[in-house]
Amino acid sequence: MVKVNFRRLISVLLISASLMFSSIHSLHAAPIPIDLRPWTAESYPAVAGFGAGNWVVSPDGYSVRQTVNGQPTLFYSNFNVMGSRVTGVIRVDPDWDDDYFGIALGFQPGDTTNPNANYILIDWKRFNQYYDFGFPSTTPGITAYAGLAVSQVYGIPTADEFWGHTDFISHPGGGLVELARGMTLGNVGWQYLRDYYFDFVYLPNRLQLYVDGVLQIDITGTFPDGRLAFYNFSQANVVYSAFTIEQIEMPAPGNLTV
């Protein structure tokens, strides 16, 4: 009879799974905890009573809470994110609202007022909701749909364009183009008091995002370099914590294998 050491077997299986994930993403450096204390907050101009965000970093620097129900706001890193794998946890503490939180990639300081801005936005809405922010008056209200999505942001979008992931013809100064929705969370809203584990790889020609270990986004294209940013729109009490970063090998031109 063969005696099986189950503890050893489980250890081998976990190591094998880790190596499989590592080979997929061409990892070559250990994850480094991200200190959020050097990061910077930046918000889009206030409209219709929706003001700037308020980002409160924990004393140890490893978590941050956004406390205001306001305009699109970002809290961006002091480093560029291209060629990295990033992991972390996002949680929404009890509140009455049901709006957006997420992550931006390729954000540049000053992009909230930059007519040439170009970055990638991953955001998540809890429920479907129609709203009209009323500025400018030439843009109509629009419905924000529940679920996880990734969009390209360019120029200086209006609040309504952020809200509905759209680009109004009546506002030529900027907009959003939705690129994809989550594979299983594309129309599923987030829940309060749940720790969501985000794990993504960002390369010049590919973006992959896992949420709680399930692949949600896997798109190819030409993506901008720039900062990592936490994103929030009209949703208070969102906590971003335990984020890590590791550099990965950049694929050769034309090679999309990550």
Side-chain angles (χ1 to χ4, degrees):
M1 172 181 265
V2 177
K3 185 176 181 181
V4 178
N5 184 329
F6 286 99
R7 181 175 294 180
R8 172 67 174 169
L9 178 59
I10 291 171
S11 176
V12 169
L13 289 174
L14 289 174
I15 292 171
S16 298
S18 176
L19 290 175
M20 182 181 296
F21 189 83
S22 297
S23 65
I24 289 172
H25 296 291
S26 304
L27 304 180
H28 66 79
I32 299 172
I34 298 176
D35 185 348
L36 305 175
R37 286 172 291 190
W39 287 33
T40 303
E42 189 171 315
S43 300
Y44 282 81
V47 298
F50 287 81
N54 180 45
W55 298 86
V56 181
V57 178
S58 64
D60 65 6
Y62 295 116
S63 69
V64 63
R65 180 187 298 269
Q66 204 292 116
T67 68
V68 172
N69 181 344
Q71 270 286 86
T73 180
L74 299 105
F75 187 61
Y76 65 85
S77 66
N78 56 336
F79 56 82
N80 283 5
V81 71
M82 183 62 73
S84 300
R85 176 189 174 195
V86 175
T87 67
V89 178
I90 304 178
R91 183 189 75 246
V92 185
D93 284 343
D95 189 48
W96 57 269
D97 219 346
D98 59 2
D99 294 326
Y100 284 110
F101 69 79
I103 291 171
L105 305 170
F107 183 84
Q108 297 288 356
D111 269 353
T112 59
T113 57
N114 178 12
N116 298 311
N118 175 26
Y119 62 91
I120 299 299
L121 176 65
I122 299 165
D123 62 356
W124 199 352
K125 182 81 167 65
R126 189 178 187 204
F127 293 138
N128 295 346
Q129 185 181 1
Y130 174 88
Y131 201 85
D132 185 352
F133 288 87
F135 181 84
S137 59
T138 54
T139 60
I142 194 169
T143 297
Y145 291 99
L148 181 75
V150 57
S151 304
Q152 178 187 9
V153 180
Y154 65 93
I156 309 172
T158 66
D160 291 298
E161 288 172 320
F162 273 109
W163 191 250
H165 299 168
T166 195
D167 178 17
F168 290 126
I169 295 175
S170 56
H171 177 253
L176 275 72
V177 175
E178 190 172 279
L179 304 177
R181 297 193 71 85
M183 294 183 187
T184 67
L185 298 174
N187 60 358
V188 177
W190 50 263
Q191 299 297 319
Y192 285 116
L193 285 176
R194 176 168 173 177
D195 287 336
Y196 290 101
Y197 292 84
F198 279 64
D199 185 343
F200 64 86
V201 170
Y202 188 55
L203 299 174
N205 56 6
R206 193 167 190 175
L207 167 62
Q208 290 182 316
L209 167 69
Y210 290 77
V211 178
D212 292 341
V214 178
L215 181 63
Q216 296 295 335
I217 302 292
D218 189 357
I219 58 174
T220 59
T222 302
F223 302 127
D225 195 4
R227 311 295 178 87
L228 165 65
F230 300 150
Y231 171 82
N232 191 269
F233 182 15
S234 188
Q235 182 60 53
N237 286 325
V238 185
V239 180
Y240 308 73
S241 65
F243 272 76
T244 69
I245 187 168
E246 57 186 302
Q247 297 301 305
I248 64 175
E249 295 176 3
M250 300 288 278
N255 181 3
L256 297 180
T257 300
V258 298

